[in-house]
Amino acid sequence: MTLTLTFTDRARTSAPASAPASEAAPAPAPVPAPRRAAGREADGLAVASFVLGLVGLLAFNLLLGPTAIVMALLSLARRTRRPGRAYLGLALGVADLVVLAVLVTVNGTVSWNLGG
């Protein structure tokens, strides 16, 4: 005896009354989506944004500042578990660009010049 059930039939009835319990196929358990990897990636983006923003204050302001800003915004959009680091990376990225603007205004160049 072959028994074929569709998804809607399974939701309404479990098994026919005449079939023994051993022949009734159990419903497959739902497989949870792998959300851990996405959270870990967002946390990594938040930490990388913080580190790049911090290093960008000393060197490569033009490159590391916008990179830190973009990484911070991506980690916040992906709902990181470390929003404090993401906001700090965002603030440091903006500070990188402010330092760059001050250096360009004072020295007239994009390079550091601490001597007289």
Side-chain angles (χ1 to χ4, degrees), residues 5-107:
L5 296 175
T6 62
F7 181 70
T8 54
D9 290 340
R10 229 184 293 169
R12 289 184 210 148
T13 61
S14 59
S18 62
S22 62
E23 288 183 18
V31 178
R35 306 241 336 150
R36 181 85 173 147
R40 194 176 294 176
E41 179 182 327
D43 292 345
L45 282 172
V47 172
S49 169
F50 168 71
V51 170
L52 290 178
L54 193 61
V55 172
L57 286 174
L58 302 174
F60 301 115
N61 308 64
L62 185 61
L63 178 68
L64 296 181
T67 305
I69 292 171
V70 168
M71 291 178 112
L73 292 175
L74 280 173
S75 67
L76 288 171
R78 294 180 183 179
R79 306 230 185 252
T80 181
R81 292 179 299 181
R82 300 174 185 227
R85 292 227 176 114
Y87 285 122
L88 191 56
L90 182 64
L92 286 170
V94 171
D96 289 348
L97 296 179
V98 169
V99 167
L100 179 66
V102 168
L103 286 174
V104 168
T105 303
V106 172
N107 292 338

